[in-house]
Amino acid sequence: MNIDRRSFLKLAALGLLAVAAKPAFDLISRPSAARALEGPFAGKRLAMVVDLNACTAGDGCVDCIAACHSVHNVPDIGNTKEEIKWLWEVDYKRAFPDQENGFVSEPLLDSRVLVLCNHCDNPPCVKVCPTQATWKREDGIVMMDYHRCIGCRYCMAACPYGSRSFNWRDPRPYIDIIQQGYPTRTRGVVEKCNFCEERLSDGLQPACVEACSSGALKFGDLKPGTELYDLISSQFNLRRKAELGTRPQVYYLL
Amino acid sequence: MYDKGKIIGGLAVFLCLASFPVWYMAASGKADYSPDPVLPVSENLCVESAQYMKEYHMQLMQQWRDQAVRQGDSIYVSSDNRTFDINLTGTCLKCHTNKADFCDRCHNYTGTAPNCWDCHNVPPANAPPQVTK
């Protein structure tokens, strides 16, 4: 084939254009990012309220913790270095370190506070997860996909609440009675509270809320008009380390 | 040719030894061994057709996993419009009550070791009577 310089350049330019057209077309025809927001949970924001006045954690009540750890097969390893916890209690001063200078009543300052994953609206753990094993559902639950977790523990470093625990060893020998309703975990994955996602889809309340006899725990959708919304908007409440911008969704009534 | 007898004899011995695994298996009756998974008696339909399950149960289980965990939708509608609750312990193992004589038999045969049961629970074997296909 004979071809002069001019038509070669023309052809080459045409070819380049054709190559560039495909990605450009893909870019334009890509469904908009907003589509990801649609789905079965659109328009929901699940949250928890802990009424510190009603909670009897300081008197040694662990009903909610026991219920949670039982239904989710959370092992009791027996040492603080390797412990696994979904729901536990800490001193008021440790739960709200930034509130230390406030005027807080004496009994409250000495009280014990229930803590759990805050299912942040702006979860730092999700941002750092390299495999998208943890992500925020449209109803606000910060989920764990144990199938994808590679155990890098970035999320544990990112979480300002220490809500995540790593399985340093096979948890099964440390579980008293393995509940068939929820899988255990295995060595090498990170785990945390899931707002009882598996119970919600069966129409049940979270296990801790169900187990609480003093009515200190309330759970539900947080949109105007709901009981939860009225509670939070009418009473003074705190969120843990809210100044970090994580927008935590566990509200503490004082 | 020198040493014809020795060479042919040696070759014969070599062939016998080299093919030992083949004829030994044939003679011991293990050559046509098949895993014979024990099927449930109380049910006669799986989630999908038996042939489909044989070939694609791994894909189906992955689909279940993604649908339940990532999409939060735990109802599976089979191709013939029956609905199943997506759950390994509560659904697969409710019918296939004896994992060891069903899943494991095949998997041992094919050298497959799914890690699902490191986390997913296997109910204590309380297998009702089952028949071999």
Side-chain angles (χ1 to χ4, degrees):
Chain A
M1 190 168 90
N2 257 334
I3 187 162
D4 60 19
R5 196 177 125 98
R6 224 180 139 77
S7 46
F8 170 78
L9 283 177
K10 271 189 201 156
L11 273 176
L14 260 175
L16 266 179
L17 212 65
V19 171
K22 170 84 169 88
F25 178 76
D26 285 353
L27 207 67
I28 296 164
S29 64
R30 190 185 294 162
S32 68
R35 281 193 53 162
L37 289 172
E38 294 163 15
F41 313 108
K44 254 191 162 184
R45 176 60 253 199
L46 296 175
M48 172 99 75
V49 168
V50 182
D51 186 344
L52 289 183
N53 299 312
C55 178
T56 52
D59 307 333
C61 171
V62 288
D63 289 353
C64 55
I65 300 176
C68 167
H69 286 191
S70 161
V71 300
H72 295 116
N73 293 320
V74 176
D76 180 10
I77 307 274
N79 70 60
T80 46
K81 252 189 136 171
E82 296 181 29
E83 75 182 334
I84 312 274
K85 42 199 189 354
W86 285 31
L87 177 63
W88 71 107
E89 48 183 65
V90 295
D91 289 339
Y92 178 89
K93 287 176 206 164
R94 294 198 62 186
F96 303 103
D98 47 313
Q99 304 290 330
E100 269 188 278
N101 298 324
F103 289 92
V104 181
S105 71
E106 198 68 29
L108 199 60
L109 256 185
D110 296 333
S111 69
R112 301 278 284 168
V113 176
L114 271 183
V115 292
L116 65 156
C117 169
N118 283 289
H119 294 272
C120 303
D121 212 33
N122 182 22
C125 53
V126 167
K127 283 191 197 137
V128 298
C129 178
T131 61
Q132 290 174 20
T134 193
W135 80 102
K136 196 182 87 182
R137 267 175 27 167
E138 279 122 47
D139 58 356
I141 296 184
V142 176
M143 276 283 284
M144 265 303 293
D145 185 343
Y146 299 98
H147 309 97
R148 278 205 198 178
C149 178
I150 56 170
C152 72
R153 291 173 283 138
Y154 284 12
C155 56
M156 293 178 68
C159 176
Y161 309 103
S163 296
R164 292 170 165 270
S165 311
F166 183 68
N167 284 278
W168 290 98
R169 51 175 88 203
D170 179 16
R172 280 194 176 161
Y174 300 91
I175 305 172
D176 275 347
I177 303 163
I178 294 187
Q179 300 290 334
Q180 301 294 320
Y182 195 79
T184 67
R185 269 70 60 202
T186 185
R187 192 174 72 155
V189 295
V190 170
E191 63 180 81
K192 67 167 196 74
C193 156
N194 65 349
F195 261 0
C196 280
E197 163 272 326
E198 84 286 1
R199 291 169 58 90
L200 298 180
S201 65
D202 291 344
L204 296 167
Q205 282 277 298
C208 54
V209 177
E210 202 179 272
C212 179
S213 51
S214 57
L217 298 176
K218 297 205 171 55
F219 178 85
D221 194 2
L222 192 63
K223 58 171 181 251
T226 59
E227 186 205 347
L228 222 58
Y229 183 86
D230 291 345
L231 215 56
I232 294 174
S233 51
S234 62
Q235 283 192 47
F236 179 67
N237 61 76
L238 291 175
R239 294 187 292 172
R240 294 184 64 204
K241 303 183 187 171
E243 73 279 7
L244 297 178
T246 51
R247 301 203 291 274
Q249 296 300 317
V250 177
Y251 298 80
Y252 293 87
L253 298 184
L254 297 187
Chain B
M1 203 198 272
Y2 306 107
D3 293 334
K4 189 179 187 179
K6 279 186 197 158
I7 290 172
I8 292 183
L11 272 177
V13 169
F14 170 74
L15 280 178
C16 281
L17 286 176
S19 61
F20 176 79
V22 177
W23 56 257
Y24 177 79
M25 290 303 274
S28 66
K30 281 188 189 157
D32 59 353
Y33 164 78
S34 71
D36 286 335
V38 179
L39 298 172
V41 277
S42 48
E43 301 281 341
N44 46 37
L45 281 178
C46 195
V47 176
E48 296 286 351
S49 74
Q51 190 57 36
Y52 181 87
M53 291 308 287
K54 247 187 227 177
E55 291 172 17
Y56 296 113
H57 62 278
M58 22 326 204
Q59 274 99 327
L60 179 82
M61 290 171 73
Q62 285 192 359
Q63 185 191 329
W64 275 28
R65 178 190 67 199
D66 292 347
Q67 189 182 326
V69 180
R70 310 254 0 151
Q71 277 119 49
D73 170 12
S74 56
I75 304 292
Y76 175 77
V77 183
S78 70
S79 51
D80 53 357
N81 274 324
R82 288 172 299 144
T83 52
F84 292 90
D85 185 27
I86 293 185
N87 199 308
L88 299 194
T89 308
T91 305
C92 297
L93 294 192
K94 197 185 87 222
C95 292
H96 299 291
T97 43
N98 198 333
K99 176 177 159 292
D101 286 343
F102 184 70
C103 318
D104 294 356
R105 276 201 192 174
C106 264
H107 294 161
N108 291 344
Y109 180 69
T110 52
T112 309
N115 69 352
C116 318
W117 312 109
D118 292 353
C119 299
H120 289 268
N121 301 310
V122 181
N126 50 345
Q130 303 208 337
V131 287
T132 311
K133 201 179 187 177

